[in-house]
Amino acid sequence: EVLPDKTAPEGPFGEWTGYYASSVREENLFQVKAIYHRNDPIILGNPPGRPPYAVGTMATCFARAGQIKAELQKAGVPDVVGVWSHEVGGHRLLTVVSIRQRYPGHARQAALIASFCRAGAYLGRYVIVVDDDIDVADLNDVMWAVCTRSDPASSIEIIRRCWSGPLDPAIPTERKGLNSRAIIDACRPYEWRSEFPDVVDVEEKLKKEVNEKWGGLVSS
């Protein structure tokens, strides 16, 4: 039963960003008159915590990534190989898209649409576009591409006055609702991609032979 004339302080509450994002405010009290329960219950919950360890983050990452990929394809962006909304960004703040480059500007097109399609527009921060040889879900792989295939002066664009929200911890209270975005083109530069240095790697056959011989002593 809600008691309309009685209130008590409530909050703050933890959020998916890993921070307490709400203030303490007065809310109505309610009176519990009965509790129904089962013996030995299985209690499910989704307690907030610092990403990537918050319960439920992984499932939301799958959903967000799938939605963004579908919207990229609906917008006519060709050869989108993979999309992942990273756990460390709480499924919104960091999105990685891999493409098979087809024409000049393809990477920027994919980045801009991933940033502003319906699934990616709210409270985003970074979108990184990589070539199709990069695993979008592997942050080491992604950051290697950023470090070796992007040049800050020509590969990063900052877009201002984008759609944010009250849970954005990096925006002061008086500016809540708007933020900026960075899109990072971490693909081989299209105009000289055929001249880009070859990747130093080991053939899959040799990797398999080493793993079979040495087992858990080395990692593939």
Side-chain angles (χ1 to χ4, degrees):
E1 177 187 0
V2 176
L3 306 178
D5 299 325
K6 294 185 178 181
T7 63
E10 183 179 66
F13 296 105
E15 289 291 348
W16 56 267
T17 56
Y19 297 92
Y20 288 97
S22 59
S23 60
V24 178
R25 59 182 181 270
E26 292 289 318
E27 295 289 350
N28 287 102
L29 293 175
F30 65 90
Q31 183 175 12
V32 178
K33 294 186 175 181
I35 296 177
Y36 297 91
H37 67 90
R38 59 181 291 179
N39 295 327
D40 299 321
I42 298 173
I43 301 175
L44 299 177
N46 188 15
R50 178 177 170 178
Y53 305 109
V55 176
T57 296
M58 181 63 75
T60 315
C61 289
F62 274 110
R64 183 86 51 209
Q67 290 168 349
I68 292 174
K69 185 175 183 180
E71 293 195 42
L72 283 165
Q73 292 170 334
K74 288 178 182 177
V77 181
D79 282 348
V80 176
V81 177
V83 177
W84 187 242
S85 298
H86 272 272
E87 304 93 313
V88 72
H91 73 266
R92 285 191 182 275
L93 297 170
L94 174 60
T95 297
V96 182
V97 179
S98 66
I99 62 171
R100 190 173 295 109
Q101 292 192 78
R102 292 267 299 274
Y103 45 82
H106 189 181
R108 299 299 174 95
Q109 178 193 28
L112 288 166
I113 293 174
S115 295
F116 294 107
C117 66
R118 182 63 183 84
Y122 178 69
L123 226 166
R125 184 90 79 221
Y126 298 98
V127 172
I128 302 172
V129 181
V130 295
D131 290 304
D132 61 326
D133 63 327
I134 300 298
D135 181 354
V136 293
D138 184 339
L139 270 180
N140 283 329
D141 220 18
V142 171
M143 293 312 298
W144 174 68
V146 170
C147 291
T148 62
R149 300 182 186 181
S150 70
D151 174 62
S154 59
S155 302
I156 301 175
E157 303 284 354
I158 305 297
I159 306 165
R160 293 171 173 80
R161 294 186 61 80
C162 303
W163 185 20
S164 183
L167 302 183
D168 192 334
I171 304 299
T173 303
E174 65 274 12
R175 290 200 290 114
K176 294 289 187 186
L178 294 170
N179 70 357
S180 61
R181 306 286 164 86
I183 61 173
I184 303 174
D185 179 354
C187 296
R188 297 175 180 88
Y190 182 83
E191 60 273 26
W192 58 285
R193 66 194 187 287
S194 61
E195 303 167 29
F196 203 85
D198 292 334
V199 174
V200 177
D201 205 353
V202 178
E203 293 181 356
E204 289 300 320
K205 180 182 177 182
L206 181 56
K207 288 182 182 179
K208 183 178 179 181
E209 291 173 353
V210 171
N211 282 331
E212 289 175 351
K213 184 173 182 179
W214 298 103
L217 295 178
V218 295
S219 172
S220 60

